[in-house]
């Protein structure tokens, strides 16, 4: 059975034993209210020993009873939802082992939990009375639940509590109904619950503080350290968002997560003097490793797609032999190996320690004195240094004769252009127009030479497959044609690069 993923929009209210629900049938849009349904719910909540999930306002439980028994993962609006009242809720079946968290749910939180163990932290037993609110056509607009809760905090410091609360969850109703219920409750002296969830209340004094908020957006008056920190934080949050999707084989998420790691590596290299010792280099090396892990799968898929498209454009009479089958077999083997490697890497201690190190850097950066200086006096020189490296690399590439070394020199130009692009992105608040122009120019160089590198790699694959076909007594004519086409494309791309370089900005910021 596949997981069920949907949006949950609800509000909770604190009430005492004497509180009485107002006439729900009088709410706007409500035609009638079904007879109350009583349920007995029993849920065990799981988290790490230091309550990592609770710090991110995430709840993971296994609940029996009611009409939605199973494993439930609730993710707050900052993770996968929209708006303060909405959460993403993911359901999976109970399974036979009450302590075995479903793999699909573990994948959703692995980037936060890492290699910590998920253990029971709270047990909630709830006597629930459900009132179903219906509209004109009989559609369920919302459910109002009257909950009498018994909560047992398991360890450390066991704690038992009892309370009553009301909860309204939208089904097909509009947010206006939530507001109408709030007004009706307020008229009776009932206010919103003081805790984010039943779990939060059950944890009591063990409820951890919220995960750190994003740092303030940098301005022209920010320090250089604040500029770097804001950029790293943005990319780290992007990585955390994409990681669960990557684990579910979302190709676009692989690309976005890879870009986030590259951005962090680039700015750490450019701003390396803001950090002590070899910290920037050490983190950069690990970011390069995970970017390569992610890139192996995506690059394989893109190259396969490009060569398959190139082959399909050939006249049928010029496609000789089992070219398509050879291409498919070659890339299928590589893709399987790359995906297996990525799966292992994303669950490895090495990856988790990288995430730990990035979290620590952002939470408490060990900045040097340079980081305290105004960004407007430091960042332009950093970007100028990156721009000078790019110009030097272009001059060096021009001197290398055509061939593998020349291709490698152009690939180096591409990598340096990418670093300049990202370091300039970090400084956009300082000079938006000039920085945006430099970013666009560096990206154009990066994109053109990225295609050029793809063509170089494609030629290598075609040569390899053509030789294999020849050794096995197949006609290799078509491989030669495709190789020549890629050779022509590479020359055209290099010409485009030379043209783009002529208009490259002469100065940085």
């Amino acid at each position: 059975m596949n997981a069920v993923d949907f949006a949950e929009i609800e509000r909770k209210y604190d009430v005492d034993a004497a509180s009485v629900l107002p006439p729900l049938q009088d709410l706007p849009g409500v035609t009638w209210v079904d007879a109350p349904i009583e349920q007995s719910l029993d849920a065990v909540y799981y988290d790490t020993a230091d309550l990592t999930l609770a710090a991110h306002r995430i709840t993971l439980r296994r609940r029996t009873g009611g009409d939605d028994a199973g494993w439930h993962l609730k993710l707050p609006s900052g993770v996968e939802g929209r708006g303060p009242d909405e959460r993403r809720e993911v359901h999976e079946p109970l399974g036979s082992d009450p302590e075995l968290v479903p793999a699909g749910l573990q994948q959703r939180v692995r980037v936060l939990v890492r290699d910590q163990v998920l253990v029971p932290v709270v047990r909630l037993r709830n006597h629930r009375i459900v009132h179903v609110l219906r509209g004109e056509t009989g559609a369920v607009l919302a459910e109002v639940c009257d909950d009498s809760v018994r909560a047992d905090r398991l360890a450390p410091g066991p704690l038992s509590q009892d309370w009553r609360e009301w909860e309204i969850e939208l089904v097909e109703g509009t947010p206006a109904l939530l507001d109408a219920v709030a007004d009706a409750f307020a008229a009776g002296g009932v206010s919103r619950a003081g805790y984010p969830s039943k779990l939060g209340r059950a944890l009591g004094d063990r409820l951890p503080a919220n995960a750190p908020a994003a740092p303030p957006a940098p301005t022209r008056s920010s320090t250089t350290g604040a500029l770097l920190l804001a950029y790293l934080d943005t990319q780290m949050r992007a990585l955390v968002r994409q990681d669960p999707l990557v684990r579910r084989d979302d190709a676009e998420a692989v690309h976005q997560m890879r870009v986030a790691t590259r951005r962090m590596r680039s700015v750490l290299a450019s701003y390396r003097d803001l950090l002590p010792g070899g910290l920037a280099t050490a983190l950069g090396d690990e970011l390069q490793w995970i970017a390569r892990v992610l890139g192996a799968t995506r690059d394989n898929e893109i190259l396969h797609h490009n060569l398959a498209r190139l082959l399909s454009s050939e006249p049928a009479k010029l496609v000789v032999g089992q070219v398509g089958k050879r291409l498919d077999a070659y890339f299928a083997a590589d893709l399987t190996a790359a995906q297996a490697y990525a799966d292992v890497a994303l669950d490895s201690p090495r990856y988790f320690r990288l995430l730990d190190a990035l979290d620590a850097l952002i939470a408490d950066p060990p900045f040097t004195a340079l980081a305290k200086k105004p960004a407007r006096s430091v960042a332009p020189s950093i970007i100028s240094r990156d721009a000078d490296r790019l110009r030097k690399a272009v001059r060096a590439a021009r001197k290398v004769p055509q061939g593998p070394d020349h291709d490698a020199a152009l690939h180096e130009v591409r990598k340096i252009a990418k670093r300049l692009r990202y370091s300039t992105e970090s400084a956009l608040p300082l000079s938006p127009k000039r920085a945006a122009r430099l970013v666009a120019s560096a990206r154009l160089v990066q994109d053109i030479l990225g295609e050029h590198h793809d063509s170089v790699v494609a030629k290598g694959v075609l040569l390899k497959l053509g030789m294999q076909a020849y050794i096995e007594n197949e006609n290799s004519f078509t491989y030669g044609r495709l190789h020549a086409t890629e050779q022509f494309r590479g020359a055209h791309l290099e010409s485009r690069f030379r043209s783009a370089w002529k208009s490259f900005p002469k100065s940085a910021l």
Side-chain angles (χ1 to χ4, degrees):
M1 179 178 175
N2 294 328
V4 178
D5 187 340
F6 58 92
E8 175 193 69
I9 302 177
E10 66 178 19
R11 293 180 185 174
K12 299 178 186 294
Y13 296 83
D14 287 327
V15 294
D16 56 34
S19 298
V20 178
L21 279 169
L24 300 175
Q25 66 274 11
D26 294 341
L27 293 168
V30 175
T31 303
W32 78 87
V33 179
D34 288 357
I37 302 171
E38 294 195 35
Q39 299 176 342
S40 293
L41 310 176
D42 192 339
V44 176
Y45 288 75
Y46 286 75
D47 206 333
T48 62
D50 62 356
L51 302 175
T52 297
L53 296 183
H56 288 83
R57 297 301 177 252
I58 295 171
T59 59
L60 172 64
R61 72 187 178 204
R62 184 182 189 270
R63 187 164 76 184
T64 56
D67 53 10
D68 64 347
W71 287 91
H72 303 163
L73 176 68
K74 294 188 178 185
L75 303 157
S77 58
V79 180
E80 291 186 15
R82 301 183 302 275
D85 296 318
E86 179 176 329
R87 291 156 65 90
R88 297 302 305 175
E89 185 164 348
V90 188
H91 287 189
E92 290 214 11
L94 285 170
S96 57
D97 187 343
E99 296 185 1
L100 182 61
V101 180
L105 299 188
Q106 291 193 51
Q107 286 180 347
R108 298 253 186 170
V109 296
R110 181 65 72 195
V111 69
L112 300 174
V113 172
R114 296 164 196 175
D115 46 8
Q116 298 183 81
V117 179
L118 291 168
V119 296
V121 293
V122 164
R123 182 183 182 188
L124 285 180
R125 282 161 286 184
N126 181 14
H127 178 258
R128 168 169 285 182
I129 303 175
V130 183
H131 304 266
V132 178
L133 281 53
R134 295 187 182 272
E136 283 186 357
T137 63
V140 177
L141 302 179
E143 293 182 353
V144 174
C145 301
D146 187 346
D147 293 338
S148 297
V149 183
R150 169 73 174 185
D152 295 304
R153 192 173 72 190
L154 302 179
L159 174 70
S160 294
Q161 301 177 67
D162 296 280
W163 73 84
R164 184 183 175 205
E165 69 178 42
W166 293 340
E167 175 182 299
I168 174 170
E169 179 177 347
L170 284 185
V171 181
E172 296 185 37
T174 67
L177 180 57
L178 287 178
D179 295 335
V181 170
D183 291 341
F185 286 178
V190 173
S191 58
R192 292 285 293 269
Y195 285 88
S197 63
K198 288 183 175 67
L199 173 64
R201 184 164 183 169
L203 288 173
D205 58 4
R206 286 198 64 215
L207 180 65
N210 286 349
T219 66
R220 279 185 53 81
S221 60
S222 295
T223 64
T224 311
L227 202 68
L228 172 61
L229 198 62
Y231 193 81
L232 289 175
D233 182 80
T234 297
Q235 303 314 316
M236 186 63 181
R237 290 176 188 275
L239 184 154
V240 170
R241 284 195 305 273
Q242 300 304 328
D243 176 286
L245 300 175
V246 170
R247 295 173 188 274
R248 293 183 306 219
D249 297 325
D250 185 313
E252 181 57 26
V254 172
H255 172 64
Q256 295 299 332
M257 183 172 167
R258 186 186 186 190
V259 168
T261 61
R262 285 175 162 179
R263 282 187 160 113
M264 284 190 279
R265 177 173 181 258
S266 291
V267 297
L268 282 170
S270 295
Y271 289 79
R272 61 187 178 276
D273 293 337
L274 274 64
L275 298 171
L279 179 57
T281 300
L283 287 173
D285 289 345
E286 293 304 282
L287 286 164
Q288 183 182 44
W289 161 71
I290 198 63
R292 285 176 174 170
V293 168
L294 296 168
T297 301
R298 181 171 173 83
D299 290 348
N300 182 292
E301 291 176 335
I302 291 175
L303 185 56
H304 186 193
H305 172 77
N306 289 345
L307 286 176
R309 184 177 58 185
L310 181 62
L311 178 63
S312 69
S313 67
E314 286 286 286
K317 63 182 180 181
L318 298 181
V319 178
V320 182
Q322 303 297 313
V323 184
K325 288 185 178 180
R326 279 193 178 274
L327 283 173
D328 291 344
Y330 175 85
F331 286 107
D334 275 7
L335 181 60
T336 299
Q339 287 177 333
Y341 181 45
D343 290 342
V344 171
L346 289 177
D347 277 332
S348 70
R350 182 177 181 181
Y351 174 58
F352 297 143
R353 299 296 77 77
L354 169 60
L355 298 180
D356 289 344
L358 291 169
D359 281 346
L361 172 61
I362 293 170
D364 187 18
F367 281 146
T368 63
L370 184 63
K372 299 177 182 179
K373 294 185 177 181
R376 61 179 179 272
S377 65
V378 177
S381 62
I382 290 175
I383 293 165
S384 293
R385 182 176 63 193
D386 287 347
D388 289 342
R389 287 184 67 245
L390 178 59
R391 295 186 184 93
K392 183 178 180 180
V394 172
R395 290 194 297 269
R398 287 172 175 166
K399 298 176 182 178
V400 181
Q402 289 292 329
D405 289 344
H406 183 74
D407 293 336
L410 289 178
H411 186 48
E412 186 66 20
V413 170
R414 174 180 178 263
K415 291 190 290 185
I416 296 172
K418 180 168 54 180
R419 175 165 155 180
L420 172 62
R421 172 191 169 188
Y422 296 148
S423 65
T424 308
E425 279 182 352
S426 72
L428 277 167
L430 304 181
S431 181
K433 290 184 179 179
R434 294 184 67 181
R437 180 176 176 235
L438 186 56
V439 167
S441 298
R443 180 176 182 177
L444 180 60
V445 169
Q446 175 191 340
D447 289 347
I448 293 172
L449 293 183
E451 288 189 52
H452 182 273
H453 181 65
D454 290 345
S455 181
V456 170
V457 176
K459 286 188 295 183
V461 171
L462 291 168
L463 178 61
K464 180 178 180 178
L465 293 182
M467 293 299 291
Q468 287 178 350
Y470 175 78
I471 291 171
E472 296 175 17
N473 295 318
E474 289 182 22
N475 193 312
S476 58
F477 169 80
T478 303
Y479 299 101
R481 277 187 57 84
L482 298 178
H483 189 282
T485 300
E486 284 294 349
Q487 191 169 6
F488 175 79
R489 186 167 80 97
H492 173 67
L493 287 165
E494 186 168 352
S495 177
R496 282 184 58 201
F497 160 66
R498 289 194 295 268
S499 177
W501 185 251
K502 291 178 180 178
S503 59
F504 199 87
K506 302 300 182 186
S507 61
L509 296 187

